[in-house]
Amino acid sequence: MPRRRRSRAAEAVVAVLLVAVGTACGSRLPESDFEDRDRATPAQDSTPIRVGIITSATSPVGGDTFTGPRDGAKAYFERLNARGGVDGRRVEVRECDDGGSGVGDNTCVHRLIDEDKVVALVATTALDYAGASRVSRARVPDIGGQPIGPAYDTYPHLYGIYGSLAPRDGTTGWSGRQYGGTEVYRYFKREHGARTAAVVSYNQAASAAYASLIERGLKAEGYRVVTEQVDFALPNFRAVAADLKEQGVDLVLDAIDTHGNARLCEAMDDAGVEVTAKVTNVQNWTSTVPDDYKDAPRCRNSLWATASSRNYEDTGHEAVREFRDATRTLKTHTQWQLEGWAAARWFTNAARSCAASGVTRACVDAFMNRSEGYTADGLLVPVVFERLATPPKSRRTCLSVARWTDGRGWVSQGDMNSTCFDVPQLPYQP
């Protein structure tokens, strides 16, 4: 079935918000503290454990844009229930589509927290997480959500899938500023010798702002930077491609949407542009690449993606095999599905730790507060939550890197737990 084309305006904003996500190396607690035990101990309480999943499933950017984490989490809970649930108790999932609006999000938060009385939210993926402050005030743990906006670096009781170093005291980041690292640019410079990088953006505020951040990061890593801005309504990607060839660019990054990237790749192929890497982000790490880039075979095979989670195609890893087996009926696979699966596993570990005393919001939240170093059995770069009083000037950061190859899909490039760099942290306004 062909995928519905998204609104380019909305998707450009989504791409901008998703790419600058920090990761971390180093474990605080042994992984044994978080083991997912398959043998459940029967409990007298057999009532279901209720969790909520908020997804902007019918948002303006298209019906399939935000559903990956939800689908991955639901697949995990279905498998968990088939194996006896949490100490004999089923996990009951209550879903809510917020429609991609702040009003809809607040409605979902009210329904799930006040009416459905969920123990926790899992794998939240909201275009406008307007209800985040209400979730925090209710002390409901929000586990493994996608940091599309600044909420996971703002409020306590919210635990984003990639962790956070911010104080989370109600103010975003540090005095309203968040920080991102230069690890992606360092990787391509050190591992692949990239020296000249192009940043492609629209003449639209959010796109231009993120392109500026990319440019600063590249310059901090010593790149010669070529900036390319196209008209949002009538982008001339042929002119961009011609200039990329003229400038001898070997690395291309962007702050544009998937449709724009596909058109840019077509123009690059037509102009005979060959680059070391056309870099995309975790949102576009999907099995739909052959369809999305069907008219740009050369550029398609130069696509690279980076993230903080293990490649969903790395079936040599036991936890990935388990994920793929449980999701084998899905028409497509995405990295966001795997991260939703990891979020559900995280909640399950928390619930099992509380089984003896009672699976309550407070107990689950206490587990999350001490879950530094969590990896979801190797699916995530070790997650860190530290409430630092001042922002870090530098940070050791690890990356999961994959390259698209026709006939093989996304091929992992090294191990994410050893592809690590000490990089500066640059401030930006969310």
Side-chain angles (χ1 to χ4, degrees), residues 46 53 61 76 86 119 168 199 218 302 319 323:
S46 61
I53 300 180
V61 300
Y76 183 89
V86 177
V119 171
R168 293 186 295 135
V199 184
L218 287 165
S302 66
F323 160 74

Side-chain angles (χ1 to χ4, degrees), residues 34 40 81 91 108 119 136 146 153 171 205 214 273 306 320-321 337 360 363 368 392-393 405 426:
F34 310 108
N81 289 335
V91 173
C108 282
V119 171
S136 181
Q146 290 291 340
D153 282 317
T171 300
I214 297 175
V273 179
T306 64
V320 176
R321 285 199 306 274
Q337 291 169 357
T360 64
C363 183
M368 295 303 299
K393 293 182 179 179
T405 302
L426 304 179

Side-chain angles (χ1 to χ4, degrees), residues 12-323:
V13 174
V14 174
V16 166
L17 291 172
L18 287 178
V19 198
V21 177
T23 59
C25 278
S27 176
R28 299 301 185 82
L29 295 176
E31 185 66 18
S32 58
D33 282 5
F34 310 108
E35 285 179 352
D36 185 358
R37 299 177 297 277
D38 285 329
R39 293 186 178 181
T41 302
Q44 291 183 346
D45 184 2
S46 61
T47 59
I49 300 170
R50 192 172 292 171
V51 301
I53 300 180
I54 298 175
T55 308
S56 297
T58 56
S59 73
V61 300
D64 59 350
T65 303
F66 292 104
T67 55
R70 178 202 67 188
D71 295 343
K74 286 175 62 179
Y76 183 89
F77 287 133
E78 288 171 5
R79 167 194 165 276
L80 176 70
N81 289 335
R83 297 186 177 185
V86 177
D87 288 1
R89 299 177 65 186
R90 291 181 59 257
V91 173
E92 180 182 304
V93 176
R94 293 294 179 94
E95 297 179 55
C96 192
D97 174 11
D98 68 8
S101 74
V103 172
D105 192 77
N106 272 309
T107 299
C108 282
V109 167
H110 168 67
R111 195 188 88 190
L112 294 175
I113 291 178
D114 301 324
E115 296 177 5
D116 292 344
K117 307 294 184 183
V118 299
V119 171
L121 300 178
V122 178
T124 300
T125 314
L127 178 61
D128 182 358
Y129 197 2
S133 61
R134 188 170 190 168
V135 174
S136 181
R137 287 196 304 272
R139 298 177 178 270
V140 175
D142 177 342
I143 300 171
Q146 290 291 340
I148 295 170
Y152 292 96
D153 282 317
T154 302
Y155 300 107
H157 311 293
L158 273 60
Y159 304 93
I161 193 68
Y162 309 128
S164 175
L165 300 182
R168 293 186 295 135
D169 56 5
T171 300
T172 298
W174 292 265
S175 301
R177 286 190 167 191
Q178 291 180 273
Y179 286 74
T182 60
E183 59 274 5
V184 173
Y185 323 131
R186 179 77 59 88
Y187 170 81
F188 285 102
K189 182 179 180 181
R190 288 197 176 180
E191 301 298 321
H192 300 283
R195 291 293 182 271
T196 300
V199 184
V200 183
S201 65
Y202 291 124
N203 60 345
Q204 182 252 7
S207 179
Y210 187 67
S212 177
L213 177 64
I214 297 175
E215 182 181 355
R216 286 172 54 213
L218 287 165
K219 287 181 176 178
E221 290 296 332
Y223 282 84
R224 183 173 75 88
V225 181
V226 177
T227 58
E228 304 281 358
Q229 190 173 88
V230 296
D231 183 77
F232 183 70
L234 297 169
N236 186 350
F237 289 116
R238 289 186 177 277
V240 171
D243 195 47
L244 296 181
K245 187 173 185 179
E246 177 74 19
Q247 298 281 353
V249 167
D250 47 26
L251 187 68
V252 178
L253 302 103
D254 68 86
I256 62 177
D257 57 305
T258 301
H259 176 63
N261 266 297
R263 291 186 60 195
L264 172 61
C265 267
E266 291 173 27
M268 289 171 61
D269 271 19
D270 290 343
V273 179
E274 296 188 17
V275 296
T276 299
K278 170 70 182 73
V279 185
T280 188
N281 56 69
V282 65
Q283 183 193 12
N284 296 315
W285 191 331
T286 76
S287 63
T288 63
V289 165
D291 292 332
D292 293 337
Y293 296 87
K294 64 181 183 299
D295 297 321
R298 184 186 298 111
C299 182
R300 181 175 68 234
N301 282 278
S302 66
L303 287 176
W304 293 65
T306 64
S308 304
S309 52
R310 191 173 297 278
N311 184 0
Y312 75 82
E313 300 224 52
D314 188 6
T315 53
H317 192 278
E318 182 179 357
V320 176
R321 285 199 306 274
E322 186 178 26
F323 160 74

Side-chain angles (χ1 to χ4, degrees), residues 344-364:
R345 185 185 182 96
W346 206 348
F347 167 78
T348 301
N349 294 147
R352 282 190 166 137
S353 77
C354 300
S357 59
V359 182
T360 64
R361 293 173 177 177
C363 183
V364 170

